[in-house]
Amino acid sequence: MKYSQRAQAISPFLAMAFSEKAARLEAQGKHVVKLNIGEPDFGAPPDVLKAMEQLAGSAPLPYTSALGLPELRAAIAGFYKTKHQIDIDPKRVVVTAGASAALLLLSAAFVDEGDKVIMADPCYPCNRQFIKSFGGNVQLVPTQANSRFQLNNDLLERYWQTDTQGVMLATPSNPTGTAVAIDELAAMCDFARKKGAWRIVDEIYLNLHHGPSDSQPASVLSVDDQTLVINSFSKYFGMTGWRLGWCIVPEEAVEVIERLAQNYYICPSTLAQKAALQCFTADSLAVCEARRASLVSRKNLVLAGLQKCGLDVPVVPDGAFYVYMDVTSTGLTAMEFCEQVLQQVHVSLTPSNDFSEQTDKQFVRLSFASSESELKEGLDRLNKFMQGLNG
């Protein structure tokens, strides 16, 4: 069969590839500690699960609007008001079939063949793959620990070119778990806006910040109302397999986004949308906040464990549930390290080959979305591996 150049250019997603390798080991009766996937072990809040059970046995579930249920769009807008003190017209909220579908729609709407789009290196691989699939020319900007592996305005100005059409940011970031300070975010958005360029900001991990519960993180919409924002029910609400997300777009873009959604997937799951209304009850939000707080203790557990192993974490994450560790001291590449750790002590991690072109041989991502018991077991095994490596 002859495949398109687009299909042939797509690189494998190594986080999922290591999941498949782990599954093969588990089929042999091995207990694999899976720290490679960004999937919270919490699951959906209880109110959401109850709603799903009731809805699944009830009346027919017809298509919704391609933009999503009006009541869910209103609930998401209310969430921004409660959590971030931002007033958003629900008409600007587009419910999507996962955050991936949100990026699909925005890429289709704003990226033309040959458009240059600036992104940080490292970054989530699927983000750049979507841009490339629509003909965009992704310009990866090397970042270092001194900028918390994030773009800043100095880097943006330095790498900007006359034909740059847009910039995509992620805060907090996958794979590093680091956030961009709101004043820096405002400066970058202001610079890009003055250049006539669009801004996409991935805020999927925004509410999984590591600050106190009364210190809510700032959305980019507080400093740039016209930014294209992507978010998801997968991480904060723990609903990865439900495939439900959203984007917030300027009012003038809603009609274009609606046409694209109608043609690409008709609408998000009606069942998932109706159940997701229960995400915004007081009880569900309290559950999610308690879970967010637990991630801080998990992070501290992991940082202490990696220090004991002799593995360096150049930048302490302040959001999400990832640690980006440097394995240079082992004498192994990131890929070699992950392969040997999986085969020898049965811990699954993700090499930075997924996320970076400049540091793909140096860093490894560890996800602390698993339970504390699994994290402790994984760290013990890593320590055993390191002791064996050091002789």
Side-chain angles (χ1 to χ4, degrees), residues 200-376:
I200 294 177
V201 177
D202 171 349
E203 293 188 340
I204 290 172
Y205 297 96
L206 179 66
N207 290 100
L208 289 180
H209 66 107
H210 297 167
S213 59
D214 60 351
S215 173
Q216 296 299 334
S219 167
V220 67
L221 293 169
S222 66
V223 294
D224 183 359
D225 187 60
Q226 298 299 293
T227 294
L228 306 159
V229 169
I230 295 171
N231 213 318
S232 175
F233 286 88
S234 291
K235 310 303 181 177
Y236 180 68
F237 295 108
M239 296 166 62
T240 50
W242 295 60
R243 306 317 304 135
L244 204 60
W246 72 83
C247 58
I248 298 174
V249 301
E251 187 173 350
E252 65 186 68
V254 172
E255 184 182 351
V256 173
I257 297 296
E258 182 176 23
R259 291 202 312 267
L260 291 166
Q262 288 169 339
N263 282 276
Y264 283 158
Y265 57 82
I266 301 179
C267 72
S269 161
T270 303
L271 182 59
Q273 287 188 77
K274 285 181 174 290
L277 287 167
Q278 299 304 309
C279 285
F280 304 102
T281 66
D283 286 347
S284 289
L285 292 174
V287 166
C288 292
E289 277 300 296
R291 292 171 170 179
R292 180 194 62 78
S294 75
L295 290 174
V296 179
S297 63
R298 294 185 189 189
K299 176 184 75 172
N300 294 333
L301 172 69
V302 166
L303 291 175
L306 293 178
Q307 184 177 32
K308 181 179 178 182
C309 292
L311 290 167
D312 180 40
V313 178
V315 182
V316 174
D318 52 359
F321 34 63
Y322 304 114
V323 167
Y324 207 51
M325 56 184 177
D326 189 340
V327 299
T328 305
S329 63
T330 66
L332 302 172
T333 66
M335 183 68 78
E336 290 169 343
F337 182 89
C338 290
E339 291 280 7
Q340 291 187 29
V341 165
L342 179 61
Q343 296 302 323
Q344 294 181 30
V345 296
H346 304 148
V347 176
S348 185
L349 300 163
T350 306
S352 53
N353 304 60
D354 252 352
F355 313 107
S356 174
E357 292 187 356
Q358 62 158 346
T359 62
D360 62 348
K361 296 181 179 180
Q362 182 180 358
F363 287 93
V364 168
R365 188 192 74 174
L366 180 153
S367 168
F368 53 88
S370 299
S371 67
E372 286 202 13
S373 61
E374 281 291 274
L375 290 171
K376 289 176 181 177

Side-chain angles (χ1 to χ4, degrees), residues 9-30:
I10 292 286
S11 303
F13 191 3
L14 293 175
M16 303 308 295
F18 273 88
S19 288
E20 294 170 7
K21 294 178 182 182
R24 289 196 289 270
L25 285 172
E26 288 180 319
Q28 300 170 19
K30 310 294 185 183

Side-chain angles (χ1 to χ4, degrees), residues 133-205:
S133 290
F134 284 91
N137 180 5
V138 176
Q139 185 179 0
L140 291 173
V141 175
T143 64
Q144 306 293 334
N146 59 10
S147 69
R148 298 183 59 77
F149 297 114
Q150 287 280 9
L151 285 176
N152 56 37
N153 201 50
D154 287 343
L155 286 170
L156 194 62
E157 291 188 17
R158 189 187 317 164
Y159 282 88
W160 198 271
Q161 298 183 22
T162 55
D163 53 352
T164 299
Q165 299 296 316
V167 57
M168 184 172 183
L169 307 164
T171 177
S173 162
N174 176 8
T176 64
T178 60
V180 180
I182 192 63
D183 56 344
E184 194 71 54
L185 196 56
M188 286 191 283
C189 287
D190 184 59
F191 174 80
R193 182 175 59 249
K194 289 177 178 177
K195 293 289 187 179
W198 51 259
R199 292 82 60 206
I200 294 177
V201 177
D202 171 349
E203 293 188 340
I204 290 172
Y205 297 96

Side-chain angles (χ1 to χ4, degrees), residues 96-105 124 126 130 204 230-232 243 245:
T96 58
S100 294
L103 185 56
L104 168 70
L105 296 176
Y124 181 60
C126 298
F130 270 111
I204 290 172
I230 295 171
N231 213 318
S232 175
R243 306 317 304 135

